[in-house]
Amino acid sequence: MTPASSSSPEGRGGGWVAAQFVLIAAVLAAGVVGPRWPDAFRGAGIPLALAGLGVAVWAGRALGSSLTPFPRPLRDGELVTGGPYAFARHPIYGGGLGLFLGYGLVVSVPATALALALGALWWRKAGVEERHLAARFPGYEAYRRRVRGRLLPFL
């Protein structure tokens, strides 16, 4: 059996992508399972989810044609350091975490727990991405020192 080529989904990090989509589906499915959060927590969920969605969309638009779900950057991709990337190195994951945590707070405790697991997966995936980005872009290490937050400006 030969190793997957770097252009195949497996060679680009397809396992990470599959794992994140399985966890996203689990978060959404857990929304029908109780127990639910008290109303005070649930009320915070909607603004958190909307803010997270806004950040994720902003970050995706900033990446433009460099956007990929895989940890390995595209061959013709560019290093984006402006927009939300001036505040956090992986703001799509930070926004996604806000979106799914907010959803979890609105619908159920199990969905919130799974959203936290998704955040942990994204934290580790971001570490893998950073190794690829540092190898691909000579200026990445300076960018990483300048922008301290991995998923959010403070995280």
Side-chain angles (χ1 to χ4, degrees):
M1 188 168 191
T2 61
S5 77
S6 63
S7 62
S8 73
E10 296 81 14
R12 299 207 51 225
W16 288 103
V17 175
Q20 79 186 16
F21 284 117
V22 166
L23 266 174
I24 287 170
V27 170
L28 296 174
V32 299
V33 178
R36 299 206 179 280
W37 288 102
D39 288 344
F41 289 100
R42 294 177 72 197
I46 291 172
L48 178 59
L50 291 174
L53 177 63
V55 168
V57 168
W58 181 29
R61 291 181 59 90
L63 277 179
S65 63
S66 294
L67 178 63
T68 177
F70 298 104
R72 190 178 303 267
L74 297 172
R75 258 183 235 275
D76 57 349
E78 297 177 8
L79 179 61
V80 175
T81 60
Y85 292 89
F87 305 104
R89 297 187 309 269
H90 301 276
I92 289 178
Y93 296 152
L97 180 58
L99 171 65
F100 289 109
L101 277 176
Y103 170 79
L105 289 174
V106 169
V107 296
S108 75
V109 173
T112 306
L114 287 166
L116 290 171
L118 179 61
L121 176 94
W122 278 335
W123 181 268
R124 295 202 51 212
K125 182 182 175 197
V128 171
E129 285 182 26
E130 292 197 336
R131 288 193 297 277
H132 290 300
L133 290 165
R136 169 82 166 73
F137 300 107
Y140 191 79
E141 287 304 324
Y143 167 70
R144 184 175 8 198
R145 284 190 300 275
R146 188 173 68 253
V147 178
R148 304 296 290 168
R150 187 181 272 185
L151 304 186
L152 298 167
F154 52 86
L155 179 64

